[in-house]
Amino acid sequence: MRYPKILSVFFTFVLALTGITVAQAAPAEAASVTQVPGAGASVPAKAATALATTQANAGVVANQKNTGFVIAAGKQSITSGERVTFSVRNFTNAGKARTGKVQLQYYRSGKWQTAKTLTLKDGRTSHTRAVKNSLQWRYRYPATGAVTKTVTVTVKGSVLRSTTSATKKTNISLTASRTSRLATQSSKLTAKYYRAGKLQKKGNLYLQYKSGSRWITVSTMKINSKGVATTTVKPAVNRTYRVVNSNRKVVSPARKVTLKSGFTITPNKTSTTKGKGVRFTAEYYANGKPRTGKVQLQFHKNGKWNTRKTLTLKNGKVAYTTKPSTTLKWRFYHPGLKKGTKSVKVSVKPQLTLATSKTKLTSGASAKLTVKMTRNGTNVKSEAVSLQTQENGKWTTLQSVTVKKGTASVTVKPTATTKYRVLAKGNVKSAVRTVQVTNGGNNTPANGKAFWVNTSVGLNLRTGAGTNFATIGSQLQYGEKVTTISSEAIKNGSLTWVNIRTSDGRVGWVADMYLSATDPTTGKNKSFTITGSGYGHGIGMSQYGAYEMARQGNNVTKILTYYYTGTTVSSQTIPAGLRDVKIQVLGPETFGFNSSYGDKFTTRTLTFADTSGGLNATWRLRGSDNSFVSANGSQHLPASYKLRITVSGTDVKSEVLAANNQVLATLTDSMVRVYPSATGVVTVPGANGRYNNGSLEISVISKVLNVSNKLKLNTEYLYGIAEMPSSWGSNGGGAALEAQAIAARTYALNTARTSAAAIAKCNCNLVDDIRHQNFTGWRKQGEGTNQQWGNIWKDAVDRTVNSATSGQVVKHNGAYISTYYFSSSGGKTANSQDVWAATLPYLKAKDDKYSLNAPGNSKKSWTKTITQATARKAFPSLPDVDKLEVTAKYSSGQVKTMRATSSDGKTQTLTKKADQWRSTFGTDAAWFTSIK
C-alpha cells in the first residue's frame, strides 16, 4: 500500500454502526514523535506474574526435587511459530540454589548458539519464545561450563538438525597450492585429519600417487601441533595424489597435479564499443615448459586470417591491446610450429547517437536533430529508427526516421521544453537530448514573477513536470500566491508545467493553465493563522496520554479502561477463523475507499535478505498443488536469488532469478506462496513494509497483482503494527506499548473480514494501511541496531499474550469494541458523536492532561495558515472572508460552530462535526485556541 503513515490524511469513512458517512477512516493516527536510535534502551523485564505462569506451565521442572541442572520444555511437538516455555533448575547436590546467569541454547549449523541469557532466581528461571524449526535445546551454566541434557522440540514438517551430524565425521581433507604448473614449479600439498569430528594434532599421514589401478605410498607427512601436515611435490609427469591414515581406512579426496600444456587465447572482453581497446592474452605450454618464438595475433576477414601484430613469447605468455573497428573472430598463431589457438569472437556494439543544433529555443523556433548509426562498427546502409519524446514519464514515438549511409536528420519545432531520443531495433537507444523552450505555453512566466492559483478545486504541487510525479504537501488553494523560480516551461502531454515557489517555501511544478496573473480574490484579509493543539480525530485512546499515564505508574488495564469508558480488559481465545489472518500488502482497493489506496502493478521483483541485512537466509516457493519449486537442485533458495512475479491472464507467472537475473526456474499458477526461513526477510517493491513472519500469498485480482501476508493475528500481526514509537518502552512507557498492542488486537478482531466471499475480494482479512492499521511487518519488528527497538515492541506484545491462541482484549458488555486511538489531544478527548456520527457508550470525552504533559509531544501547540480561498470555500455564501471566529465548542474543547464576516459586513455561521472542521481547514486537529 502507498500510505505508510497517517499524517494529515483525510478521507471518507463509513461508520459501520450507523451507515453515516463521516470524515476519518483510521482507528488511529501515528504518534508524531521521532524515535531516537542508539538511546541505550533496555528491554523491560516480564512481570512476575507472567514468570510464575510460565513456570507453572513447565511444572516438570518446578515440582521436582531441588537438585541437579535440569531443563524442561512445556511442549515438545508443535506447529511452526507456536510458543514454547523452556524452564530450568540449577541446584547443587546438597540442594543449594545456584546463582548467576544461564544461557538457553539451540543447535544449528553444526554448533550450539545462544538464544537468550537469563538470570537465575532461587535456582530457577524460564523463557518463552516462538519456535519455527525442529531443534535441540539445552541450558548452559557459563560459571562452570556445565550443560543440561538436551530436549528436542519437533515442528511439524521441519527436519531436525542433529547435534551428532557434525561430531561423528572422520575424514582427511587435502588441498594443493597448484593443480596446474610449470615443470620448474612445485605444488604444496596440505592435509588435515579429523577423527570423530576432532582435528588431530599429532601422528602421521601417508602420501600416495596413482599408478595404473594401484596407489603407491611415496612419503610420510607428519601432523604438526596445529593439526596440519604438508609436503611438496614436483612430479615430472601428471600425477594424482591422495592421503591416507596409518591403517589406510581413512582416505582423502584425490587431487590432480598436472603440467601446463596447450595454446590458449583470452580476451578481457568479448563485446566492445568501436574505438575502445580489447586486450588479448596468449599462453603456450608443452608438458610444463613454456614455448618460445614468435606468435601472431590474427583476425578473420574476407575469408582468410590476417595478421594484426607479431609478438615474442616470454615465459610462454604474450599480450597485446588493439581497438577492433568491427565484429571479427581473433586467434593467436605460431608460424614456426604451425599451431593456432581456438578463435574467439569479439563483437562491436551498435552505436546510435543523437545531436541537436540548438539546446535552447524561443517559442516558435526550430532545431535540427542529427542521427548517426553504426552496426558491427560500420555505417548502416539503410535502417528505420524511431524518434521519441517523453510524455508523462513514458517514451512515445514522434515519427519514423530512415538512416542512410549511417546518418539522417530531422527538424523539430517544440512548443515547450522537450526530451528526445532515438530507438532502433534490438533496443538500441541513443542518449537523451533536451531542447529547452523559453516563453512557451499559455502562461510561461519570466523568472521571479508572481501568480495566483485560479482554481477552486485545489492545485497539486508536484516534484516534476507531469501528473505522474508525486505531490508535495497539501494542495494549493484558490487565491494562493506563488512565485516562478525559472523561466523554463516543460510540455508533458496536453499540459505545460512551470517551476514555482509557494508562500510557505515549498518548491515544485504546477500546470500553468491553473495560474492567473492577477489575484482572483477580493477579501481584505488574504489569509488567517489558526493556533491549535493536538493531532488526530480525538476519539478513544490518546497515545501520548497513554505514554504519560504509563510514566506515572499506571498499568495497562488502568490506561485502557480510562480512555474506553465502562470497559473491561480480559483474556480472549482468538476465534479459529481468525487465528491465521491475511493482510493485503499490495493489490486493488476492495473496502469501499478511494481507489487511490489501491495498487495497479502487473509485475514486481521480490528481493530477500536475512534479519541482519545480509544474505544468510533462504526461502521457498510453492504452487497451489503444495509442491515446492527447486532451483539448482534445492528447494531452499538462497537470499541472493530474486523472484519476479508477473500477471499472466488470471495466473501469476513467478520466475526465480539468480543474482545476474538469469531465470533458474518458472512457476505459473493461480496462487503462489513464498516462505522465508526463520531469519529471512522479503521486500515487495511498492508495499508498506518488509516481511519475515508467515508466508506471502500472491494471486491476480482485477487484472493486477495481489500480495497478502498470512500470519498469526495474536502475535505476528501485532509485531508488525507501527502505530506507536517503540522507544517509549525504554523511557517508562512500557504499559503504553501494551495498551497499544491490546487496542490493535481488539480493533483487528472487531474489523477483520470473516466471510469467504468478503475475503475472496482481496484474499485478505485486513489491509496494511490507515483503512485498518499501519502494518509494516519486519520493518517494525526488526527496528533499530540488532533489533533494539523492535525487541522492545515485541516484548510488549508478548506481555499481552496468554497463550498461542489467546490474548488480552477490550470489551464492553461482553463484546469487542472499536478501539479507536489517535496521537494527542488539546487537553480532553472527544465524544464519538461530536466527531463523527454514532453515539458509542465507551467513547466518551475524558480529561487528557496527560497528553499535554507527555515528553516529546510536538503537537502540544501548532499553527496553520489558511488562505482566503480556503476561507471562502468554507463559507460559500460570502463574497470574501474578512474575519473568522469560533462561537461554540464541544465538551472536548474542539471547534463546533464558526462565524465568518465579509468585508461588507455580511456574516455566515456554520455548525459541523469536529472532524469536518479539521478536514475543512486541513489542520492537525480541531482543538483551535485562536484565529488571527
Side-chain angles (χ1 to χ4, degrees):
M1 298 297 140
R2 290 195 285 265
Y3 299 89
K5 295 294 180 186
I6 311 180
L7 304 178
S8 302
V9 177
F10 305 99
F11 53 88
T12 301
F13 172 73
V14 180
L15 194 59
L17 294 177
T18 64
I20 299 176
T21 301
V22 294
Q24 181 63 36
E29 301 183 14
S32 55
V33 299
T34 301
Q35 180 160 298
V36 182
S42 59
V43 180
K46 296 199 176 200
T49 54
L51 179 59
T53 300
T54 56
Q55 288 179 340
N57 291 340
V60 177
V61 169
N63 298 328
Q64 290 181 353
K65 184 180 177 182
N66 291 341
T67 59
F69 190 20
V70 181
I71 183 175
K75 304 173 185 176
Q76 291 186 253
S77 180
I78 61 171
T79 57
S80 180
E82 196 169 344
R83 298 177 67 79
V84 178
T85 298
F86 296 93
S87 303
V88 67
R89 72 164 188 266
N90 195 1
F91 289 83
T92 66
N93 291 334
K96 182 179 179 181
R98 295 190 187 274
T99 60
K101 305 285 187 181
V102 290
Q103 298 166 331
L104 176 62
Q105 298 183 324
Y106 59 91
Y107 190 81
R108 176 182 280 171
S109 302
K111 61 181 179 181
W112 286 99
Q113 302 179 51
T114 298
K116 190 79 172 178
T117 299
L118 306 161
T119 301
L120 289 167
K121 185 176 181 180
D122 297 328
R124 291 186 173 86
T125 191
S126 65
H127 176 65
T128 303
R129 63 187 297 112
V131 178
K132 295 185 177 181
N133 296 297
S134 297
L135 294 171
Q136 291 177 292
W137 297 81
R138 74 179 187 187
Y139 274 98
R140 180 176 179 271
Y141 188 42
T144 63
V147 296
T148 65
K149 291 183 178 181
T150 62
V151 295
T152 300
V153 177
T154 304
V155 175
K156 295 175 183 177
S158 174
V159 178
L160 177 66
R161 294 159 170 85
S162 172
T163 59
T164 61
S165 60
T167 58
K168 290 186 176 181
K169 290 194 299 184
T170 296
N171 65 349
I172 298 173
S173 65
L174 178 63
T175 59
S177 62
R178 289 190 181 96
T179 56
S180 179
R181 65 186 184 87
L182 298 177
T184 57
Q185 295 174 323
S186 60
S187 179
K188 183 179 180 181
L189 302 180
T190 302
K192 292 183 180 180
Y193 180 25
Y194 294 87
R195 181 184 293 163
K198 184 176 182 181
L199 180 64
Q200 302 301 295
K201 297 185 178 181
K202 62 181 180 179
N204 295 322
L205 296 173
Y206 301 93
L207 179 66
Q208 297 180 330
Y209 73 84
K210 193 171 186 179
S211 177
S213 61
R214 299 168 52 235
W215 287 94
I216 300 173
T217 301
V218 291
S219 65
T220 300
M221 300 171 65
K222 186 174 182 180
I223 302 174
N224 64 21
S225 60
K226 295 182 180 180
V228 177
T230 61
T231 189
T232 300
V233 296
K234 192 176 179 183
V237 296
N238 296 338
R239 289 242 189 258
T240 300
Y241 292 95
R242 74 179 188 184
V243 173
V244 299
N245 69 341
S246 57
N247 62 12
R248 284 17 178 208
K249 290 185 178 181
V250 183
V251 181
S252 75
R255 293 285 179 262
K256 287 184 178 181
V257 177
T258 61
L259 294 166
K260 285 187 175 182
S261 290
F263 192 11
T264 61
I265 180 174
T266 306
N268 66 337
K269 51 189 171 182
T270 57
S271 181
T272 188
T273 303
K274 186 177 180 179
K276 299 293 184 180
V278 177
R279 186 171 180 83
F280 294 92
T281 302
E283 293 188 15
Y284 198 180
Y285 302 99
N287 296 321
K289 295 180 181 179
R291 292 286 194 185
T292 60
K294 304 286 187 179
V295 293
Q296 298 166 338
L297 176 61
Q298 298 181 330
F299 60 91
H300 196 266
K301 190 174 183 181
N302 298 326
K304 63 178 182 179
W305 287 100
N306 304 272
T307 299
R308 171 61 58 87
K309 187 73 173 179
T310 300
L311 305 155
T312 302
L313 288 166
K314 185 176 181 180
N315 295 325
K317 292 184 179 181
V318 71
Y320 183 73
T321 300
T322 186
K323 297 178 180 179
S325 59
T326 186
T327 299
L328 293 170
K329 290 182 178 180
W330 296 81
R331 75 172 185 181
F332 278 99
Y333 182 72
H334 195 299
L337 298 174
K338 294 185 173 13
K339 295 285 187 181
T341 65
K342 290 182 178 180
S343 63
V344 294
K345 184 178 180 180
V346 176
S347 300
V348 175
K349 300 174 185 177
Q351 284 187 287
L352 185 60
T353 62
L354 177 65
T356 178
S357 60
K358 298 176 182 178
T359 57
K360 291 185 178 180
L361 299 175
T362 57
S363 181
S366 60
K368 181 180 179 182
L369 303 180
T370 301
V371 181
K372 292 186 178 181
M373 185 176 184
T374 63
R375 286 193 184 274
N376 296 322
T378 60
N379 291 333
V380 297
K381 292 181 180 180
S382 180
E383 184 173 327
V385 298
S386 298
L387 177 64
Q388 297 186 320
T389 59
Q390 192 177 54
E391 295 184 13
N392 295 321
K394 296 182 179 179
W395 287 97
T396 57
T397 298
L398 182 64
Q399 67 181 84
S400 179
V401 178
T402 301
V403 179
K404 294 184 177 180
K405 296 181 180 180
T407 187
S409 63
V410 64
T411 299
V412 294
K413 193 176 182 180
T415 59
T417 299
T418 306
K419 293 181 179 181
Y420 296 94
R421 77 174 186 187
V422 181
L423 177 68
K425 65 181 181 181
N427 203 32
V428 180
K429 303 169 188 174
S430 72
V432 176
R433 301 297 178 205
T434 301
V435 178
Q436 189 180 74
V437 178
T438 57
N439 298 322
N442 299 332
N443 247 343
T444 307
N447 185 16
K449 187 175 180 179
F451 282 81
W452 285 262
V453 177
N454 193 15
T455 173
S456 60
V457 297
L459 180 60
N460 286 318
L461 180 68
R462 297 188 178 273
T463 57
T467 56
N468 57 304
F469 289 93
T471 58
I472 305 173
S474 59
Q475 289 183 325
L476 306 182
Q477 299 301 314
Y478 177 74
E480 187 168 346
K481 184 179 179 181
V482 300
T483 306
T484 58
I485 60 174
S486 171
S487 59
E488 179 183 10
I490 295 179
K491 185 174 178 60
N492 194 337
S494 62
L495 299 175
T496 299
W497 297 78
V498 292
N499 199 200
I500 58 98
R501 178 179 285 107
T502 66
S503 58
D504 59 5
R506 291 176 289 158
V507 172
W509 293 80
V510 297
D512 68 351
M513 67 180 291
Y514 299 112
L515 299 180
S516 170
T518 59
D519 187 350
T521 66
T522 58
K524 291 181 180 179
N525 281 311
K526 301 301 180 185
S527 63
F528 301 91
T529 299
I530 297 178
T531 301
S533 180
Y535 190 93
H537 49 65
I539 295 177
M541 182 178 70
S542 157
Q543 291 169 310
Y544 269 101
Y547 178 33
E548 181 61 18
M549 284 189 71
R551 283 167 45 83
Q552 292 184 19
N554 293 284
N555 64 27
V556 63
T557 300
K558 287 185 178 179
I559 293 171
L560 290 169
T561 55
Y562 180 77
Y563 284 109
Y564 302 113
T565 303
T567 61
T568 59
V569 178
S570 60
S571 178
Q572 172 69 44
T573 299
I574 308 299
L578 286 175
R579 290 176 185 175
D580 288 328
V581 290
K582 298 178 183 180
I583 313 302
Q584 185 194 53
V585 300
L586 198 77
E589 206 297 307
T590 65
F591 284 82
F593 292 90
N594 190 297
S595 61
S596 63
Y597 281 96
D599 303 301
K600 299 179 180 179
F601 297 113
T602 56
T603 184
R604 296 279 85 184
T605 299
L606 281 57
T607 56
F608 301 84
D610 62 32
T611 52
S612 299
L615 296 175
N616 297 317
T618 60
W619 56 281
R620 294 188 295 167
L621 176 66
R622 194 180 81 180
S624 58
D625 64 353
N626 293 330
S627 61
F628 288 97
V629 172
S630 293
N632 286 336
S634 176
Q635 296 178 354
H636 295 273
L637 309 176
S640 59
Y641 288 2
K642 295 172 283 189
L643 180 67
R644 182 167 60 210
I645 53 175
T646 307
V647 172
S648 178
T650 59
D651 290 339
V652 179
K653 179 182 179 182
S654 53
E655 298 170 290
V656 178
L657 307 178
N660 62 0
N661 291 325
Q662 176 188 359
V663 178
L664 302 176
T666 301
L667 170 66
T668 301
D669 207 331
S670 59
M671 174 81 73
V672 296
R673 294 175 174 84
V674 175
Y675 298 84
S677 63
T679 59
V681 179
V682 189
T683 298
V684 182
N688 200 7
R690 302 170 68 224
Y691 311 101
N692 161 256
N693 291 311
S695 62
L696 295 184
E697 295 190 351
I698 305 167
S699 57
V700 174
I701 296 177
S702 300
K703 300 181 181 180
V704 298
L705 290 170
N706 191 84
V707 182
S708 296
N709 187 190
K710 182 179 180 181
L711 70 180
K712 297 187 181 304
L713 182 150
N714 198 32
T715 52
E716 295 171 339
Y717 170 62
L718 298 181
Y719 293 158
I721 291 294
E723 292 282 9
M724 182 177 282
S726 304
S727 59
W728 285 1
S730 65
N731 194 29
L737 296 184
E738 294 171 26
Q740 179 66 66
I742 295 172
R745 179 184 291 114
T746 307
Y747 189 85
L749 288 169
N750 195 40
T751 308
R753 285 177 169 174
T754 56
S755 73
I759 293 170
K761 292 180 180 180
C762 59
N763 188 38
C764 73
N765 305 94
L766 299 160
V767 294
D768 69 342
D769 57 32
I770 59 174
R771 288 169 289 172
H772 290 141
Q773 300 183 97
N774 191 31
F775 171 77
T776 64
W778 183 255
R779 200 179 298 281
K780 175 69 173 180
Q781 186 180 343
E783 191 176 24
T785 304
N786 296 323
Q787 295 132 49
Q788 172 188 4
W789 305 115
N791 285 338
I792 292 176
W793 167 244
K794 181 176 177 292
D795 282 351
V797 172
D798 288 345
R799 291 195 295 273
T800 72
V801 173
N802 297 98
S803 72
T805 57
S806 65
Q808 296 176 55
V809 297
V810 186
K811 287 185 174 183
H812 183 268
N813 291 337
Y816 299 130
I817 70 168
S818 295
T819 46
Y820 296 112
Y821 47 88
F822 65 101
S823 176
S824 62
S825 74
K828 195 172 184 180
T829 69
N831 295 315
S832 61
Q833 68 270 23
D834 297 339
V835 176
W836 295 332
T839 300
L840 298 175
Y842 50 83
L843 296 176
K844 296 294 185 183
K846 302 288 290 187
D847 180 73
D848 191 31
K849 59 182 180 296
Y850 303 107
S851 185
L852 298 177
N853 294 332
N857 183 0
S858 63
K859 297 300 181 179
K860 183 177 180 179
S861 178
W862 48 259
T863 60
K864 171 73 174 181
T865 299
I866 305 302
T867 65
Q868 174 67 199
T870 299
R872 285 184 63 192
K873 186 176 179 181
F875 296 90
S877 69
L878 300 180
D880 58 55
V881 177
D882 185 58
K883 184 179 180 181
L884 278 175
E885 53 190 326
V886 176
T887 59
K889 293 184 177 182
Y890 291 105
S891 61
S892 62
Q894 294 170 301
V895 61
K896 178 180 182 180
T897 304
M898 293 189 70
R899 180 172 61 228
T901 305
S902 67
S903 58
D904 60 5
K906 295 178 180 179
T907 63
Q908 183 180 7
T909 300
L910 295 174
T911 297
K912 295 183 179 183
K913 298 294 184 182
D915 218 44
Q916 290 177 316
W917 283 119
R918 179 172 75 127
S919 178
T920 296
F921 294 122
T923 55
D924 290 333
W927 289 277
F928 296 178
T929 54
S930 69
I931 304 178
K932 296 180 180 179

